[in-house]
Amino acid sequence: MAKKYNKVVLAYSGGLDTSVLIPWLKENYGCEVIAVSGNVGQGTELDGLEEKALKTGASKLYIEDLNQEFVDEYIIPTVKAGATYEQYLLGTSFARPIIAKRIVEIALKEGADAICHGCTGKGNDQVRFELAIKAFAPQMDVIAPWRFWELNSREKEIAYAEAHNIPLKITKETNYSKDKNLWHLSHEGMDLEDPANEAPISKPGFLELSVSPEEAPDVPTYVTIHFEKGIPTSLDGKEMGTVELIQKLNEIGGANGCGILDIVENRLVGMKSRGVYETPGGAILYAAHSKLEEITLDKETSHYKQQLALKFAELVYNGQWYTPLRKAMSAFVDSTQETVTGDVKLKLYKGNIIPAGVTSPYSLYSADMATFNEDDCYNQADSAGFINLFGLPIKVRALNDIALAAKTGKHFPGVE
């Protein structure tokens, strides 16, 4: 830590890691610390944040409202892509790039020497933050204390905070690592670190956006979502903006125990980690969008888009949002969404999201074609010629194997 800085911009959430970083930076670098918080829907977590940041030594705190941009420029493009990472709906992943971008903008405006974040050296977020910094301020220094400092456990951080009179909302007994935004809430650490332990989703106070499926109502709730070119525009017949729509779906989905995911995922840095995610509104949106695409996309486009979705999800998860490939993929996705317009009705019941009807003016589904009853638009005799041509390579291979077996007496794969 020989290098000195005059002014450091800190990615500040008010959580454990960033709370101790303000006095720690001042003690170790003697620098001015400017805190920046990106409001992406944390809600009450932002209450009292300015007072706390200033009391612990920050010269100022920026709280930037990024909700609309977060939804329209990051969440919706990912939903339209149908991108999920090992079932995970990418809540933390696509929140980091937008926050980091804004932090860079403020750092450049303030003439900062460095940007500091509180991500651990084991996690994915360090990559997501720093790739965004490289994209917008490639020469900016980055301070990542978790890679070298003495506070190398959450217990030591709590002890440091207590010694420096830093108020915390957690204790050593409630020390889950959480990340909350408009889209989701994640839970990691403590008893969740052992996959043999059942996630305590029924324990009072663990879930915050949802109830457990057992506690959900005994009667189903129906919702109808309208999409225009892949973008949700109304809920149950009421037009609303994307932010409001997600908030409303979170309420409805959470009350019905929807969108709770308990997985062991493969982190970018190579290890496996376990997390419990609450994404009630997001799970509903993904299900609705996918159902609408079933009737509005042709087979080849749909199948290719599914392949692309896997790579798209990896880019988002790995912090590569600001790359030419992600941008190009989004352009492809947008072109596929021209006909993804219509209404999707879903039944929500004790954690389940069940299709209950889908309509679109661009539907490619034809009841006349698909019926088991008599029809006059499909000649079933045509299928014989199709099968003969489609199966010709298999037939030729089998005939050749039979001939070779007769000549040599050896077994060939096509001969049983």
Side-chain angles (χ1 to χ4, degrees):
M1 291 187 292
K3 190 168 185 178
K4 295 296 181 182
Y5 298 104
N6 293 318
K7 186 182 294 186
V8 174
V9 168
L10 170 65
Y12 185 73
S13 67
L16 176 59
D17 295 325
T18 59
S19 292
V20 301
L21 272 172
I22 294 176
W24 186 89
L25 285 169
K26 293 171 71 70
E27 287 178 3
N28 287 273
Y29 292 99
C31 58
E32 176 187 356
V33 178
I34 297 173
V36 179
S37 294
N39 178 3
V40 286
Q42 300 94 313
T44 57
E45 289 185 7
L46 298 172
D47 294 348
L49 209 59
E50 182 173 15
E51 180 183 5
K52 180 178 179 180
L54 297 179
K55 279 188 175 181
T56 51
S59 62
K60 65 177 75 170
L61 170 68
Y62 287 86
I63 299 180
E64 301 294 293
D65 186 353
L66 304 174
N67 281 282
Q68 194 66 58
E69 183 182 354
F70 178 41
V71 172
D72 293 342
E73 301 299 324
Y74 297 80
I75 292 178
I76 297 300
T78 306
V79 173
K80 288 195 293 186
T84 65
Y85 183 84
E86 300 176 356
Q87 301 180 70
Y88 166 48
L89 301 186
L90 298 164
T92 302
S93 307
F94 50 37
R96 296 304 185 237
I98 184 175
I99 294 172
K101 178 185 176 184
R102 187 65 184 124
I103 289 171
V104 169
E105 292 169 350
I106 291 172
L108 294 176
K109 183 181 77 171
E110 289 282 353
D113 307 302
I115 292 172
C116 178
H117 64 74
C119 307
T120 76
K122 290 184 177 180
N124 301 307
D125 281 345
Q126 58 179 335
V127 182
R128 297 164 185 157
F129 270 113
E130 293 187 35
L131 292 192
I133 294 169
K134 290 180 186 298
F136 297 104
Q139 296 179 315
M140 180 72 68
D141 280 0
V142 175
I143 303 172
W146 260 97
R147 296 173 188 161
F148 58 84
W149 68 353
E150 68 282 6
L151 305 178
N152 54 6
S153 72
R154 293 179 72 78
E155 290 74 17
K156 290 181 180 178
E157 285 185 296
I158 292 173
Y160 181 92
E162 291 173 347
H164 288 74
N165 298 314
I166 300 171
L168 297 175
K169 295 181 180 179
I170 64 172
T171 67
K172 294 174 183 176
E173 289 72 39
T174 61
N175 192 19
Y176 286 108
S177 177
K178 298 185 180 184
D179 179 78
K180 183 180 181 182
N181 59 43
L182 177 71
W183 186 247
H184 89 154
L185 174 64
S186 64
H187 310 256
E188 293 180 318
M190 294 182 65
D191 53 325
L192 296 178
E193 291 186 348
D194 186 350
N197 293 331
E198 181 181 2
I201 62 172
S202 296
K203 181 179 179 180
F206 180 79
L207 296 177
E208 297 181 27
L209 302 182
S210 315
V211 298
S212 68
E214 296 93 332
E215 296 168 332
D218 292 330
V219 294
T221 299
Y222 287 87
V223 293
T224 300
I225 303 170
H226 179 76
F227 290 84
E228 288 286 336
K229 296 186 177 181
I231 300 171
T233 59
S234 74
L235 177 61
D236 293 332
K238 179 183 178 182
E239 290 190 9
M240 57 183 69
T242 48
V243 172
E244 182 187 2
L245 190 144
I246 290 173
Q247 290 172 331
K248 188 63 178 177
L249 284 178
N250 276 336
E251 295 174 12
I252 299 171
N256 284 277
C258 297
I260 301 170
L261 179 66
D262 177 3
I263 61 169
V264 174
E265 69 194 58
N266 291 292
R267 283 184 179 175
L268 171 60
V269 295
M271 69 185 69
K272 289 183 181 289
S273 66
R274 189 213 189 164
V276 173
Y277 299 100
E278 299 178 63
T279 322
I284 295 170
L285 267 186
Y286 265 85
H289 182 264
S290 176
K291 178 56 63 175
L292 184 56
E293 285 193 329
E294 285 181 10
I295 66 170
T296 56
L297 295 187
D298 65 276
K299 172 185 168 182
E300 294 297 331
T301 300
S302 177
H303 288 189
Y304 190 79
K305 185 171 178 287
Q306 289 172 27
Q307 297 178 49
L308 177 140
L310 177 61
K311 183 61 179 178
F312 194 105
E314 289 176 346
L315 291 178
V316 177
Y317 188 84
N318 295 343
Q320 296 170 294
W321 187 271
Y322 303 114
T323 60
L325 179 57
R326 200 284 309 164
K327 184 178 180 181
M329 283 185 165
S330 286
F332 167 80
V333 168
D334 285 343
S335 73
T336 70
Q337 301 298 290
E338 289 297 319
T339 59
V340 185
T341 293
D343 293 281
V344 182
K345 187 177 183 180
L346 299 171
K347 178 167 68 173
L348 314 179
Y349 182 67
K350 290 190 175 296
N352 295 289
I353 303 172
I354 305 165
V358 56
T359 60
S360 171
Y362 302 102
S363 176
L364 300 177
Y365 179 83
S366 169
D368 291 338
M369 287 284 188
T371 183
F372 284 97
N373 297 321
E374 182 178 355
D375 67 82
D376 57 5
C377 61
Y378 184 91
N379 185 351
Q380 297 199 31
D382 290 344
S383 62
F386 165 74
I387 294 171
N388 286 335
L389 292 178
F390 188 65
L392 186 59
I394 296 173
K395 180 178 180 179
V396 170
R397 176 62 182 268
L399 291 171
N400 188 57
D401 287 347
I402 292 170
L404 287 173
K407 288 180 181 180
T408 64
K410 296 180 180 179
H411 172 77
F412 287 87
V415 181
E416 296 296 335

